[in-house]
Amino acid sequence: MKLRMNITYCTPKGTEAAFHSDFMPAGAVMLLMEDMQQNSRVVQTEILDQYETEWTLKELRAYMKELETEPHHVRLFADGGFEKHTGRSGLGCVVHYEQNQKEFRLRRNREVEQLASNNEAEFAALYFAIDILGELGVKNQEIEVFADSRTVMMQMSGEWPVYEKELQYWADKTDDLIKEFGLTVLYTHVDRKQNKEADQLASQALKKIEIDSTIQK
């Protein structure tokens, strides 16, 4: 989660000025707010999230404390593959996250049928990956999603419209899941080399090689 601050500063002679920060990670905001509490010239502070909901410092501390035991700093890589001659698809995802001051990497894939195209497989892979976050208990935070499908990343971020009915179906399902988990998603398009692990998992699914593992990094 990222937050921004509105700050009112007053000089010893009574001149006041208001300052507004950019959005920053919650941890950085908490440190700054705690430091400014010690400065008597900071007469008013306000913490706001991306929905313009105001947070108190006490609430922010509680949120950061909760993050110590829940999965956070989530980075998700997804990829889908499609075999036109068989109508089979392979979905692969890699989830990097932190929990209890340790780093983890989850790898999982799945073979599915009844998809119509490679683009649909790419959308299905993203839904598959987001659904796994629910199993991990990732809720009410900002996550990063990476994929080598420019179509999926641009359409899910709202930069491109979705015209195909089957792709709109997956986009809506994924958005519903994101809302259910209270997530804010940053979508980033990467090249295939940067997404090779998820790509390999999707290929293994097509070969009926099932992968489901979580390791500490």
Side-chain angles (χ1 to χ4, degrees), residues 22-79:
D22 293 328
F23 280 100
M24 298 182 291
V29 171
M30 186 180 73
L31 290 174
L32 287 167
M33 292 295 291
E34 289 176 337
D35 185 70
M36 284 187 289
Q37 273 194 334
Q38 303 175 39
N39 189 334
S40 61
R41 296 181 185 176
V42 177
V43 296
Q44 184 176 353
T45 57
E46 184 181 43
I47 308 171
L48 298 171
D49 62 22
Q50 64 268 35
Y51 304 108
E52 295 299 305
T53 300
E54 187 172 354
W55 289 62
T56 66
L57 183 55
K58 182 179 179 180
E59 290 171 334
L60 183 55
R61 284 172 177 154
Y63 171 80
M64 295 303 297
K65 184 67 176 178
E66 189 176 328
L67 277 188
E68 292 178 9
T69 56
E70 293 188 355
H72 56 282
H73 292 165
V74 176
R75 294 180 299 119
L76 184 158
F77 293 78
D79 197 24

Side-chain angles (χ1 to χ4, degrees), residues 4 6 10 28 34 41 61 71 115 120 128 154 188-189:
R4 64 181 181 86
N6 295 329
C10 184
E34 289 176 337
R41 296 181 185 176
R61 284 172 177 154
L115 301 183
E120 190 175 6
F128 172 58
M154 297 298 284
T188 302
H189 173 253

Side-chain angles (χ1 to χ4, degrees), residues 61-202:
R61 284 172 177 154
Y63 171 80
M64 295 303 297
K65 184 67 176 178
E66 189 176 328
L67 277 188
E68 292 178 9
T69 56
E70 293 188 355
H72 56 282
H73 292 165
V74 176
R75 294 180 299 119
L76 184 158
F77 293 78
D79 197 24
F82 176 71
E83 287 184 344
K84 188 174 182 179
H85 62 286
T86 65
R88 296 165 53 243
S89 299
L91 316 179
C93 77
V94 183
V95 182
H96 300 268
Y97 63 96
E98 298 177 23
Q99 187 173 18
N100 295 320
Q101 300 182 344
K102 298 176 182 178
E103 296 183 21
F104 296 90
R105 183 187 66 178
L106 179 152
R107 300 166 64 244
R108 191 179 298 181
N109 65 1
R110 178 179 294 172
E111 178 192 2
V112 296
E113 298 180 353
Q114 299 180 338
L115 301 183
S117 66
N118 190 73
N119 275 343
E120 190 175 6
E122 297 277 13
F123 267 97
L126 176 60
Y127 177 85
F128 172 58
I130 296 291
D131 193 42
I132 291 171
L133 300 187
E135 297 178 24
L136 293 174
V138 177
K139 293 187 176 182
N140 303 315
Q141 59 181 280
E142 183 177 84
I143 68 167
E144 295 180 273
V145 171
F146 303 87
D148 56 55
S149 169
R150 182 178 294 276
T151 297
V152 173
M153 293 295 94
M154 297 298 284
Q155 290 182 334
M156 287 303 299
S157 64
E159 295 293 322
W160 292 357
V162 184
Y163 295 114
E164 297 87 346
K165 184 177 179 180
E166 64 273 12
L167 301 189
Q168 187 65 63
Y169 166 80
W170 287 105
D172 289 343
K173 280 190 65 171
T174 303
D175 276 336
D176 288 344
L177 210 55
I178 289 167
K179 291 176 183 177
E180 179 184 339
F181 298 157
L183 303 176
T184 300
V185 183
L186 301 178
Y187 294 102
T188 302
H189 173 253
V190 295
D191 60 36
R192 186 171 295 274
K193 183 177 180 181
Q194 292 173 286
N195 202 34
K196 62 181 180 180
E197 194 168 20
D199 175 68
Q200 182 181 27
L201 286 165

